[in-house]
Amino acid sequence: MALKVCKFGGTSMADGHTMTKVKNIVLSDPDRRYVVVSAPGKRFSGDIKVTDLLYKCYSELMEHGDCKLAFAAVRKRFEGIVRELGLDFDMASVLDKTEARIDSERSEEFTASRGEYLAAVVMAQLLGAQFIDAEDVIFFDENGAFEDKKSYAAIAAATEGVKLAVIPGFYGRGADGKIKTFSRGGSDISGAIVARAVGASVYENWTDVSGFLACDPRIVDSPKRIKSLSYKELRELSYMGANVLHSESIFPVRKANIPILIKNTFRPEDEGTSILPIAQYKPSGNIVTGIAGKKNFTVIFIEKSHMNSEVGFVRKVLSVLERYGVSVEHIPSGIDTMSVVVESDSLDNFKLEQILESIKAEVEPDFMRVSENIALIATVGHGMSSSVGTSARLFKALADAGVNVKMIDQGSSELNIIVAVKNEDMEKCIAAIYREFFGN
Ligand code: ASP
């Protein structure tokens, strides 16, 4: 029998009207048995997400000893939702207890997690489903890493024989007994964890878009929708900024070959995008699956004659970055040259100076140069490795568009070609690649 885990994002949970849509989606298919929810998101542009209101509560708590003012806005949101839904239960007392626990726990992660907690309490009432608290089933170890086996066992035990349950996303419990959250957008990860734990046949991720597009619609007008992509392609695209789904959320499901289906709560009839393990993945016939870009990288270019024959050269350079706690994104290299690409946010001027000095001392390069304000653009697709001339087409398209390419890195997975350009050329570059491989 099919078993579906569905995760609903913030816009699906924004108010009573959208939550009713969620209810209809869940109840329309008896296979949809475990529901993971985010905190209510924005109802209109300029609105504030409940999670952001809660971070404000924590600041107020730290400054004034309580968070009465900021929590009043959270209270109003949830009271409004319960009223709109016509639910008959004592939300006021749930809210009172939550506020009191925020005051006593005095923890930022606890406070931030309450949006998901309250949303799940309401959704469980609306669906007539059992509420399973994430703090009882999702665990982190003393280093803050997710504890998979313990969590999977707890979720499997808590859901055993349960027909319909709602579980809040985004948080779990740390080894110290305190609430811990994933990074922002982490309810996607919670959904994947639940899907893995219950052995779901599919992990449905309900958002406010009808799946992944071949590139950012702010750059190209109505780009094509991607019908299906592999876990690997998703990982490359979402790391590079395609942010429909949290990039960490594939790990739990990938190991168990559970497909992810991205669906739109506001257009449930749309087919969406399937993210599949390679064994189930059917090539679309397109050479390129998608294009994504990310700005603000710094490239350190190093040149030294006979670099290739100097044992330990790359290691010495990388160990400098490691010493300064800077993680390296890419290392394209030639015979006498290598570049190290890092996120600019991980450096400040002072740190950069120190890193350059240390590299000089360590490997005595002939020449070094730093380029800042660099964007990386990844063109991703399994079809690329088997079709001759793909890079030639890509670079010709960029040359025709007058884009100056600063660096090229063809990933060793043969799944992507990454080009580095100036920040201000990123949009032009993506549009040119899109036109070349998808037409207008
Ligand atoms: N509510 C959290 C956030 O805003 C987590 C989530 O939505 O997935 O980041």
Side-chain angles (χ1 to χ4, degrees):
M1 199 193 75
L3 170 56
K4 297 179 180 174
V5 168
C6 333
K7 180 258 164 179
F8 289 89
T11 31
S12 310
M13 300 294 292
D15 57 25
H17 175 69
T18 63
M19 282 200 197
T20 305
K21 290 187 185 293
V22 170
K23 175 184 169 185
N24 294 338
I25 289 167
V26 173
L27 297 184
S28 68
D29 182 348
D31 294 338
R32 296 193 173 117
R33 297 209 0 233
Y34 304 116
V35 177
V36 174
V37 294
S38 279
K42 291 184 182 181
R43 292 159 292 183
F44 43 83
S45 94
D47 194 16
I48 306 177
K49 291 169 84 168
V50 164
T51 308
D52 292 324
L53 292 175
L54 287 161
Y55 281 115
K56 268 199 198 160
C57 287
Y58 181 71
S59 310
E60 193 180 306
L61 178 66
M62 289 299 100
E63 251 176 66
H64 303 290
D66 68 45
C67 62
K68 269 203 170 44
L69 273 178
F71 195 76
V74 176
R75 189 180 282 277
K76 202 166 153 213
R77 276 296 284 275
F78 280 99
E79 281 175 350
I81 287 173
V82 169
R83 204 175 324 111
E84 261 182 278
L85 292 171
L87 289 174
D88 184 23
F89 80 106
D90 191 2
M91 190 65 192
S93 96
V94 178
L95 288 161
D96 289 344
K97 282 193 198 125
T98 302
E99 187 177 347
R101 203 171 152 202
I102 289 176
D103 284 352
S104 66
E105 297 261 347
R106 304 180 69 74
S107 136
E108 184 169 36
E109 293 184 70
F110 175 80
T111 309
S113 72
R114 292 305 91 182
E116 272 68 15
Y117 169 81
L118 294 167
V121 168
V122 174
M123 187 46 76
Q125 287 286 332
L126 184 63
L127 291 171
Q130 186 173 324
F131 170 80
I132 298 176
D133 198 338
E135 75 170 298
D136 300 327
V137 291
I138 292 189
F139 303 107
F140 299 91
D141 67 15
E142 29 320 303
N143 302 317
F146 167 63
E147 269 200 278
D148 52 0
K149 290 198 181 73
K150 187 174 168 193
S151 307
Y152 296 151
I155 295 166
T159 50
E160 169 96 63
V162 177
K163 258 204 160 138
L164 188 60
V166 182
I167 306 160
F170 191 40
Y171 71 93
R173 184 148 34 109
D176 57 1
K178 296 211 178 318
I179 295 287
K180 197 178 149 34
T181 54
F182 290 106
S183 57
R184 293 299 305 264
S187 300
D188 283 340
I189 309 175
S190 310
I193 290 169
V194 173
R196 168 74 189 275
V198 302
S201 38
V202 60
Y203 168 31
E204 291 184 345
N205 190 289
W206 291 82
T207 63
D208 56 358
V209 291
S210 296
F212 274 87
L213 299 172
C215 75
D216 187 335
R218 287 167 300 186
I219 298 176
V220 169
D221 212 18
S222 321
K224 294 212 168 86
R225 192 176 53 76
I226 303 175
K227 280 197 180 152
S228 72
L229 69 166
S230 71
Y231 289 148
K232 280 192 182 156
E233 289 173 325
L234 168 77
R235 179 88 184 121
E236 302 282 347
L237 289 170
S238 56
Y239 165 74
M240 287 297 291
N243 56 6
V244 177
L245 192 71
H246 193 296
S247 66
E248 301 290 306
S249 50
I250 56 166
F251 294 116
V253 284
R254 182 164 73 177
K255 281 210 185 110
N257 287 339
I258 299 169
I260 306 171
L261 179 59
I262 308 288
K263 292 280 284 177
N264 186 347
T265 302
F266 304 93
R267 294 178 59 93
E269 65 285 359
D270 285 358
E271 204 183 327
T273 296
S274 317
I275 301 148
L276 302 167
I278 204 75
Q280 293 171 31
Y281 174 76
K282 285 183 227 63
S284 60
N286 290 343
I287 296 173
V288 169
T289 302
I291 309 151
K294 205 165 156 185
K295 290 186 177 173
N296 299 328
F297 289 93
T298 298
V299 181
I300 304 171
F301 172 84
I302 305 164
E303 189 174 328
K304 188 177 185 186
S305 299
H306 308 298
M307 177 190 286
N308 63 330
S309 53
E310 195 174 319
V311 176
F313 190 96
V314 175
R315 180 187 52 76
K316 284 182 201 157
V317 171
L318 296 185
S319 67
V320 170
L321 287 133
E322 187 178 345
R323 255 198 329 271
Y324 287 94
V326 173
S327 84
V328 173
E329 306 293 321
H330 295 278
I331 324 165
S333 61
I335 297 175
D336 290 334
T337 61
M338 73 180 279
S339 298
V340 180
V341 184
V342 300
E343 283 201 52
S344 307
D345 276 356
S346 63
L347 301 167
D348 51 39
N349 280 343
F350 182 61
K351 211 182 209 179
L352 181 59
E353 283 303 313
Q354 287 181 321
I355 289 173
L356 296 178
E357 283 309 314
S358 304
I359 294 178
K360 261 189 211 150
E362 200 80 49
V363 297
E364 297 172 0
D366 299 336
F367 176 70
M368 259 206 305
R369 184 183 62 223
V370 174
S371 309
E372 292 177 284
N373 302 318
I374 294 293
L376 297 182
I377 291 125
T379 304
V380 176
H382 286 291
M384 295 198 311
S385 62
S386 54
S387 68
V388 180
T390 306
S391 6
R393 279 177 70 186
L394 190 144
F395 292 113
K396 173 152 190 328
L398 293 182
D400 290 348
V403 177
N404 179 9
V405 176
K406 300 213 158 274
M407 192 192 77
I408 303 162
D409 188 8
Q410 175 144 24
S412 44
S413 58
E414 290 195 46
L415 187 67
N416 61 16
I417 297 175
I418 294 176
V419 295
V421 299
K422 284 198 245 142
N423 269 348
E424 64 261 32
D425 283 342
M426 186 180 91
E427 285 78 8
K428 193 157 66 163
C429 178
I430 292 178
I433 301 173
Y434 182 86
R435 265 197 313 274
E436 175 62 31
F437 290 98
F438 293 89
N440 283 314

